[in-house]
Amino acid sequence: MQMRLPYSVPLFDLPMYSVSKLTDYSAALAAAAEECIRACEAEARSVSDETELKLFRDRWLGRKSGILTQINELWLKDAPKDAKREVGIRVNELKARIQKLVEGTRAGGTDGRATTVAGVDITLPGIRRSIGAEHPVLKTMNEIVSVFQKLGYSVAKGPVVETDYYNFEALNFPPNHPARDTQDTLFIAGQAAKPPRERLLLRTHTSPVQIRTMEKMRPPIRIVIPGQVHRNDPPDASHSPMFHQVEGLAVDTDITFSDLKGTLDHAMKALFGSSVKTHFRPSFFPFTEPSAEMFVSCFICGGSGKRGAEPCRPCKQTGWIEILGCGMVDPNVFDFVKDNGYDPRRVSGFAFGMGADRIALLKYGVDDIQLFFQGDVRFLQQFA
Ligand code: PHE
């Protein structure tokens, strides 16, 4: 025998609708409202006689425990204060549609099957579906990548879980370099049995992809490498244990530091506006020699260090913002890939790496990096 719901709907055709609690008050609400309407329409179609019609009406419109009353309790009353207005509008829209639907439903014919056509008013506003948008960090990375693509660079990628060899050894980090310490690096557990260079870790920068690419492609090469990296930093407004970098590498015969400067100066103007200036200060990285940190003139205060009478915070009143690390590829690095055409006596190159999250913070005037990774729709919606 077939089991039946109160009004002649085979149980296996139509699961009984019940009002669920919301997980958030925008996307989840829109989806839940849509689901509710579909359920009501389906039930309306299955109403076959007057008894069922009465049951159907009570179930949806009943004052004490009807579905609309439950929606009021579960969606509207529980909504956080700042979402109440928006939720109120949505719930009222939904109630109006359900009411029309239920009141427009007539009992079906004598054959006991659904012949009812629910009264759907097609002039009622539809349900707004929020469409997705690019995350501000990805958007920034894509912009950086496209600046270099226009210069003829191609995109290379590599694994986030990396070996000690690619992350450190082949990049000329000496065995006891502090970056290899657990202070900065997140190591994968249970690797002690492996030879040191094969031990796995979360890459601390995108630079290992320099080596991986040079192993595969002979010179000349020009590549940009966007990707996720990890460092053992406690989260705060400017640090996150997971963040993003965009790396670059150009290798050819006769590449000089002037090429590095010209390329990066162009890229910064393309990213931050043609009036920004660039400025290089000596620095150190094991895999570049010489190395530099590049600064751009502060595009918030125009380089003056002041915003009106106030000190400019993003550049700490210096007029300059540190954007990236760079340098000429160290010959020792080429030695690791010399069998693939990278003879340090014949080729030279430059490399650079920048933090995409930090650039996104500056570009959009966001003051806490954590906001990028909490997945709060109210924050992310502002970039749509
Ligand atoms: N990998 C360096 C970092 O993460 C940045 C860098 C890349 C420096 C390429 C020089 C050349 O800090």
Side-chain angles (χ1 to χ4, degrees):
M1 199 185 85
Q2 204 169 34
M3 284 177 71
R4 287 177 164 240
L5 287 182
Y7 32 94
S8 80
V9 178
L11 188 61
F12 298 107
D13 284 354
L14 206 65
M16 197 80 155
Y17 174 75
S18 69
V19 185
S20 51
K21 257 190 152 348
L22 294 177
T23 47
D24 71 67
Y25 291 89
S26 52
L29 173 59
E34 187 63 24
E35 187 202 358
C36 176
I37 293 208
R38 295 289 158 261
C40 185
E41 283 171 355
E43 288 186 25
R45 277 195 296 274
S46 77
V47 169
S48 59
D49 58 27
E50 293 302 325
T51 321
E52 286 180 2
L53 183 60
K54 185 173 175 332
L55 279 165
F56 170 67
R57 287 196 170 150
D58 288 348
R59 180 167 140 70
W60 286 86
L61 306 181
R63 287 223 181 281
K64 265 179 107 180
S65 55
I67 288 172
L68 288 189
T69 308
Q70 291 176 41
I71 284 177
N72 239 0
E73 296 290 322
L74 270 156
W75 295 359
L76 192 55
K77 288 205 177 138
D78 279 3
K81 228 183 168 155
D82 54 354
K84 270 236 154 74
R85 214 184 91 86
E86 182 71 19
V87 176
I89 295 172
R90 292 277 186 118
V91 166
N92 280 341
E93 255 172 46
L94 176 67
K95 281 162 96 176
R97 287 184 66 176
I98 297 283
Q99 206 143 359
K100 246 194 133 93
L101 202 71
V102 174
E103 280 162 6
T105 301
R106 302 280 169 267
T110 48
D111 63 350
R113 284 305 294 172
T115 50
T116 309
V117 175
V120 177
D121 181 349
I122 59 162
T123 63
L124 278 172
I127 291 196
R128 242 183 302 150
R129 288 176 188 283
S130 6
I131 53 163
E134 227 175 359
H135 188 281
V137 172
L138 283 183
K139 192 164 162 165
T140 304
M141 287 172 99
N142 289 341
E143 268 176 46
I144 302 170
V145 165
S146 91
V147 167
F148 287 96
Q149 280 181 314
K150 285 178 191 140
L151 294 175
Y153 284 58
S154 39
V155 178
K157 297 221 168 134
V160 174
V161 178
E162 194 42 287
T163 60
D164 182 281
Y165 177 77
Y166 287 110
N167 197 74
F168 293 128
E169 188 177 332
L171 288 168
N172 199 34
F173 280 81
N176 294 313
H177 193 280
R180 291 183 165 207
D181 198 73
T182 46
Q183 285 286 317
D184 296 311
T185 305
L186 292 159
F187 291 92
I188 306 287
Q191 304 287 302
K194 293 185 182 168
R197 55 158 60 176
E198 285 170 31
R199 292 183 193 162
L200 298 175
L201 45 80
L202 296 182
R203 69 176 177 194
T204 58
H205 50 180
T206 40
S207 305
V209 190
Q210 291 188 27
I211 305 290
R212 285 184 174 274
T213 311
M214 288 192 283
E215 283 179 348
K216 278 185 266 159
M217 295 164 65
R218 298 177 68 83
I221 58 167
R222 279 155 182 74
I223 49 164
V224 256
I225 308 151
Q228 210 177 60
V229 301
H230 294 78
R231 282 186 204 171
N232 191 10
D233 286 328
D236 64 23
S238 52
H239 294 87
S240 160
M242 185 283 298
F243 59 105
H244 302 81
Q245 290 189 334
V246 179
E247 182 101 4
L249 173 70
V251 183
D252 206 331
T253 50
D254 304 316
I255 289 208
T256 69
F257 203 90
S258 308
D259 297 312
L260 163 65
K261 286 181 84 173
T263 304
L264 289 179
D265 186 76
H266 164 82
M268 295 306 122
K269 288 182 162 67
L271 285 172
F272 301 116
S274 56
S275 60
V276 299
K277 297 194 185 91
T278 52
H279 161 83
F280 293 77
R281 282 184 209 166
S283 183
F284 175 79
F285 299 100
F287 40 94
T288 46
E289 182 61 33
S291 306
E293 266 147 23
M294 193 197 68
F295 292 71
V296 297
S297 53
C298 181
F299 39 84
I300 316 275
C301 66
S304 68
K306 287 211 170 59
R307 294 172 85 179
E310 296 290 304
C312 179
R313 275 216 298 154
C315 69
K316 300 191 195 88
Q317 301 185 62
T318 63
W320 295 96
I321 294 181
E322 189 190 331
I323 289 287
L324 54 77
C326 58
M328 302 306 290
V329 180
D330 193 303
N332 291 346
V333 171
F334 286 139
D335 261 337
F336 285 93
V337 286
K338 63 172 181 292
D339 293 343
N340 200 28
Y342 294 88
D343 177 351
R345 288 162 308 182
R346 277 198 53 246
V347 296
S348 59
F350 65 75
F352 57 85
M354 58 191 112
D357 323 74
R358 219 173 90 77
I359 295 177
L361 288 176
L362 292 164
K363 252 181 110 80
Y364 296 111
V366 174
D367 56 14
D368 186 349
I369 195 173
Q370 302 304 323
L371 288 166
F372 284 147
F373 309 124
Q374 286 161 344
D376 188 328
V377 203
R378 290 167 302 179
F379 171 74
L380 297 170
Q381 246 162 8
Q382 299 175 57
F383 302 90

